[in-house]
Amino acid sequence: MLIDLQVKVEDVDESDDEEEKEEDLVPQVEFSCTCKRCEDDINEYYRYYYKCIDDSCDFALHKFCAELPETLNHPSHPHPFTLSKTSYNWTCYSCHRHHKAGALRYVCIDHWYRVFDVNCAAEADKRRIYHPSHPHPLVSLRSKPILCQCNACGKEHKGVFFQCTTCTNFAIHNDCAFLPKRLLIQHATNAVFSHTHPLTLSYSFPREEFRAKHYPRCRVCNEYCYVNGDLWIYKCEKCIYYAHLDCATSRRESFMSILSIGGGPTVKNFKDVDYPNLLRLPFPDETCSIPKHLFSKELGPTDYGNHEVSLRHMNHEHELILVDTAGSTGSTSSKINDMIMCHNPMKKIELLCNGCVRPITEMPFYKCRAKQDESCNFALHEWCTRLPTKVDNHPAHPQHPLLLMTNIPNMFNLFRCDVCWLYCNGYAYGCVECEFYVDVTCGFMPERITHESHPNHLLSITEDLPNGRCLMCHLDVSPYILNFSCSFCDVYIHPWCALLLPKTIRHPYDKHPMHISYLPIENHKSEYFCEICEEELDPHRCFYHCDLCSQSVHSDCAPLILQSEAETHSPYGQESVYLFLNMKFGSIHKKTNGHPHPLTFSQGIESDGGCSVCAGRLRYQMILRCSKCEFAVHHDCLEDLNKS
């Protein structure tokens, strides 16, 4: 019976809601049996074969072996050859391959030593395959290695090629032609790289798909997958997991030198005992920060009595009180405590520290005692009252010491940090002579860290980097500012990505904690959209995700808990960290020129329209808004107005 191994089967439409079948998690075994004449494998690339009509019998023949003629002429010899068997072992005159007794052979009657196996005698038919990647039959015209470019992997190398006699420019290398259609990458790479699902061999990777999948990189070498849309690739569409042919099958010569974020474990390159104070990032959650890590301590009863001393350099116009539940000296009454609530994103309560501008999520902390009508929202972490007054040898400005400044000399106490480039209206460490200012977090920027996104390797502060991209957000790394880099790998991380993005966040849009992810989520069945701004999300850049609800948010939308319309994934900001992460809004300015009513310092949203002074767009900008009328103005426009 003649069998066609490439009969097309109509695709079955499976619902996304259908439970994943167990057999989908293991590669399917591809058909293979042995030809009883030539003893070679029969597989689907030869397309046709004959089998015995009795299913209990395993007798099978290649189509060309079954149809071999009794006699044939060969271009290498003037006499005809006859098909026969022998009772002893023998060697092919052409390829020198050894064969066992009983294997078919062609022999010249006049020259008994001229013996060819069926592969060499019927060379043209034997070397023809029907490959699903190409519409025409492919033939290996020469048995000897040739130098040619492979249309499967895109590389030029020496070997045996299958070529199309119809399309003169199509050839695939023998190794690529018989790659498995499905494989588990952990089996192919000796468990250095791992993935839950089998990877499927795809015979093309169109640019449209590459763009739709957010320009994915190979999970092994971390290089872009797209070079030519006609090149083959291994992929798992369920998880947006892609790998080059050579990478997925360990054929790359420098395979063991490319271990990075792609999924393989990095080997630890330092000893913990040599770095006892090493900062291991990301921080567990939003309650942690560098100031807390360095200056927090447990307070005893004697500390409460001396809290006024630690506040002398805080320079606030009103009296500060210590909010605590201990009931010790220095704590407020329970009535005041009940009125003051800590930062709680789940209840949409925002309370930010005026020093480090990080959330105040626990007591004790300091709060302004001003009356409610004075509208002062000043608050401080307890540990921010112990900030040192001077920082020496800062890596970004080692030539001068940086002094603690509780107020920058401008109308809104506003500056732009010279390390993370975020606007800030909290405390600063600055050099007035050089007009150099950094926020409190960047003021204590560590020289070395480790980070979960690139585990086991030290990351050190580096300047004058070559062109590259941040491992977390995939945005360009500037060679003119400080960044963290790995001296062993071509890996860089922005300081704001490393220091300001915690491992876990809470958000009112999801009742579960959301965890940071640096790669697409396995078994994520839908497209990626941010639950806050409702815009598309690139899962190759760091983002926050809830595994239980399959919900995701941009890392720069994550801090927005009060009104989601204030964010909208601003195209003008850094796409990994919220543009105004170091800004505390909500202060009220009563005395301003140009408007009779008090103005609230806020972030502009779409409904604010245009500036009342310059008519420019207010959305995404720092503005002052009047609650009694429709007056709204850019902060710098109002500052210019007050100077005039």
Side-chain angles (χ1 to χ4, degrees):
M1 180 190 300
L2 182 64
I3 304 297
D4 186 349
L5 290 173
Q6 293 187 12
V7 175
K8 294 184 178 179
V9 180
E10 293 184 2
D11 295 333
V12 180
D13 184 18
E14 297 182 357
S15 172
D16 290 340
D17 297 330
E18 185 179 352
E19 290 294 327
E20 189 171 49
K21 297 179 181 178
E22 185 177 350
E23 55 264 30
D24 289 341
L25 300 179
V26 294
Q28 296 174 352
V29 178
E30 297 180 10
F31 176 83
S32 178
C33 65
T34 302
C35 176
K36 298 302 181 180
R37 274 196 169 178
C38 69
E39 300 177 351
D40 279 349
D41 285 341
I42 299 173
N43 58 48
E44 65 177 293
Y45 298 110
Y46 294 114
R47 186 164 184 173
Y48 301 103
Y49 82 105
Y50 284 97
K51 69 180 291 288
C52 180
I53 60 174
D54 185 352
D55 291 336
S56 62
C57 180
D58 63 352
F59 186 85
L61 297 172
H62 288 113
K63 182 177 182 292
F64 48 80
C65 287
E67 298 171 355
L68 286 173
E70 292 295 325
T71 61
L72 61 76
N73 294 315
H74 196 275
S76 66
H77 194 66
H79 304 139
F81 285 80
T82 303
L83 185 65
S84 65
K85 284 186 178 182
T86 183
S87 58
Y88 52 84
N89 297 342
W90 55 277
T91 302
C92 176
Y93 183 85
S94 176
C95 66
H96 304 290
R97 182 181 175 185
H98 298 288
H99 294 272
K100 294 181 180 179
L104 282 174
R105 64 178 188 166
Y106 279 96
V107 61
C108 176
I109 298 175
D110 295 332
H111 301 87
W112 59 267
Y113 59 89
R114 293 268 183 170
V115 180
F116 290 89
D117 60 28
V118 292
N119 291 348
C120 296
E123 185 173 0
D125 281 339
K126 180 68 177 179
R127 297 185 181 277
R128 179 183 293 115
I129 63 173
Y130 298 84
H131 204 280
S133 67
H134 195 69
H136 309 130
L138 304 178
V139 179
S140 180
L141 299 176
R142 298 187 63 181
S143 59
K144 294 182 179 180
I146 62 172
L147 183 64
C148 184
Q149 183 170 358
C150 176
N151 285 77
C153 64
K155 296 181 179 179
E156 184 179 77
H157 46 145
K158 192 173 184 179
V160 177
F161 283 80
F162 286 93
Q163 298 170 273
C164 179
T165 56
T166 304
C167 309
T168 56
N169 61 346
F170 186 87
I172 55 176
H173 187 263
N174 181 71
D175 290 345
C176 293
F178 301 108
L179 283 172
K181 288 188 174 181
R182 302 180 87 204
L183 61 79
L184 285 170
I185 195 169
Q186 49 266 42
H187 293 171
T189 62
N190 197 25
V192 175
F193 295 86
S194 179
H195 187 62
T196 303
H197 307 120
L199 304 185
T200 304
L201 181 61
S202 176
Y203 300 123
S204 65
F205 191 26
R207 178 176 288 275
E208 294 74 19
E209 181 182 352
F210 179 66
R211 189 184 300 113
K213 298 299 182 181
H214 305 282
Y215 310 97
R217 293 172 179 259
C218 173
R219 293 295 186 92
V220 175
C221 69
N222 206 30
E223 297 294 331
Y224 281 117
C225 289
Y226 183 88
V227 178
N228 182 331
D230 294 326
L231 296 184
W232 301 0
I233 198 166
Y234 276 103
K235 65 180 181 179
C236 173
E237 291 185 337
K238 293 181 179 180
C239 307
I240 317 183
Y241 191 109
Y242 294 85
H244 296 121
L245 294 188
D246 288 354
C247 295
T249 55
S250 305
R251 296 191 306 180
R252 183 166 175 170
E253 292 180 4
S254 57
F255 175 73
M256 296 309 294
S257 67
I258 58 178
L259 304 183
S260 63
I261 185 62
T266 49
V267 179
K268 195 169 185 177
N269 64 357
F270 67 95
K271 295 181 180 179
D272 292 330
V273 68
D274 295 333
Y275 302 93
N277 299 317
L278 185 65
L279 187 61
R280 302 172 193 275
L281 297 171
F283 286 116
D285 52 47
E286 294 173 289
T287 66
C288 301
S289 65
I290 287 184
K292 180 180 181 180
H293 174 74
L294 294 176
F295 306 115
S296 65
K297 68 175 184 177
E298 294 292 330
L299 294 183
T302 56
D303 295 307
Y304 289 112
N306 297 324
H307 70 283
E308 293 87 355
V309 177
S310 64
L311 298 177
R312 288 177 181 173
H313 65 284
M314 293 298 104
N315 192 23
H316 183 62
E317 57 182 326
H318 304 130
E319 180 186 359
L320 299 182
I321 57 172
L322 184 65
V323 179
D324 181 59
T325 57
S328 305
T329 305
S331 65
T332 64
S333 67
S334 60
K335 182 177 180 180
I336 296 178
N337 276 332
D338 290 341
M339 296 171 56
I340 301 174
M341 300 185 69
C342 291
H343 183 90
N344 189 339
M346 304 307 290
K347 295 182 179 179
K348 296 189 177 182
I349 298 172
E350 186 176 61
L351 181 63
L352 302 180
C353 173
N354 280 67
C356 63
V357 205
R358 300 273 73 79
I360 297 177
T361 58
E362 58 186 353
M363 298 181 183
F365 67 91
Y366 288 96
K367 184 80 172 66
C368 178
R369 200 169 191 172
K371 297 178 182 179
Q372 188 172 0
D373 58 359
E374 295 185 66
S375 302
C376 183
N377 64 352
F378 188 91
L380 276 178
H381 286 117
E382 185 276 329
W383 52 80
C384 283
T385 65
R386 290 194 293 275
L387 294 173
T389 57
K390 184 175 67 171
V391 171
D392 293 314
N393 299 315
H394 190 279
H397 195 74
Q399 59 268 37
H400 301 128
L402 303 181
L403 304 180
L404 178 65
M405 305 177 69
T406 58
N407 286 295
I408 301 297
N410 58 49
M411 183 175 179
F412 301 103
N413 187 38
L414 184 65
F415 66 96
R416 192 165 190 176
C417 176
D418 284 302
V419 169
C420 69
W421 294 97
L422 294 174
Y423 286 104
C424 181
N425 60 350
Y427 290 177
Y429 281 96
C431 174
V432 178
E433 178 184 349
C434 303
E435 295 185 349
F436 179 91
Y437 304 101
V438 294
D439 60 60
V440 169
T441 297
C442 294
F444 300 99
M445 184 180 181
E447 292 187 4
R448 296 180 185 87
I449 64 168
T450 61
H451 200 279
E452 180 185 55
S453 62
H454 189 64
N456 297 321
H457 283 187
L458 283 176
L459 299 170
S460 304
I461 290 179
T462 314
E463 201 172 10
D464 300 327
L465 292 173
N467 293 330
R469 289 180 177 270
C470 172
L471 179 65
M472 294 179 65
C473 69
H474 289 199
L475 296 178
D476 291 336
V477 171
S478 172
Y480 306 110
I481 63 174
L482 296 180
N483 291 279
F484 290 107
S485 70
C486 176
S487 59
F488 286 82
C489 312
D490 189 22
V491 167
Y492 313 102
I493 300 181
H494 291 134
W496 50 86
C497 293
L499 301 176
L500 299 178
L501 295 178
K503 185 173 184 177
T504 304
I505 64 164
R506 297 302 302 272
H507 199 283
Y509 276 33
D510 197 295
K511 62 183 179 181
H512 308 111
M514 306 185 81
H515 304 281
I516 195 167
S517 178
Y518 312 103
L519 292 169
I521 306 298
E522 288 190 2
N523 287 320
H524 188 74
K525 296 182 179 180
S526 60
E527 298 295 330
Y528 287 88
F529 287 92
C530 176
E531 295 295 327
I532 298 176
C533 69
E534 299 182 353
E535 294 182 12
E536 196 171 8
L537 182 149
D538 181 355
H540 301 285
R541 296 177 175 178
C542 59
F543 65 102
Y544 288 96
H545 183 79
C546 174
D547 293 328
L548 297 174
C549 302
S550 293
Q551 294 194 138
S552 307
V553 299
H554 289 118
S555 58
D556 57 332
C557 291
L560 298 151
I561 63 170
L562 299 183
Q563 48 182 353
S564 61
E565 209 272 337
E567 61 14 44
T568 338
H569 195 47
S570 169
Y572 310 120
Q574 298 164 85
E575 293 186 23
S576 60
V577 176
Y578 176 39
L579 181 61
F580 298 129
L581 185 68
N582 280 343
M583 293 296 301
K584 182 173 180 176
F585 294 110
S587 59
I588 296 178
H589 298 260
K590 296 182 178 180
K591 298 179 181 180
T592 56
N593 296 331
H595 193 71
H597 306 141
L599 301 176
T600 303
F601 188 45
S602 309
Q603 180 188 348
I605 59 178
E606 187 173 13
S607 60
D608 289 319
C611 175
S612 299
V613 174
C614 71
R617 190 184 187 189
L618 293 175
R619 194 181 189 186
Y620 306 123
Q621 307 297 319
M622 291 178 284
I623 70 166
L624 287 102
R625 181 190 301 119
C626 180
S627 59
K628 296 184 179 180
C629 63
E630 296 182 356
F631 183 86
V633 61
H634 292 116
H635 81 282
D636 48 355
C637 289
L638 185 68
E639 195 167 12
D640 292 340
L641 240 132
N642 279 264
K643 290 179 182 178
S644 58

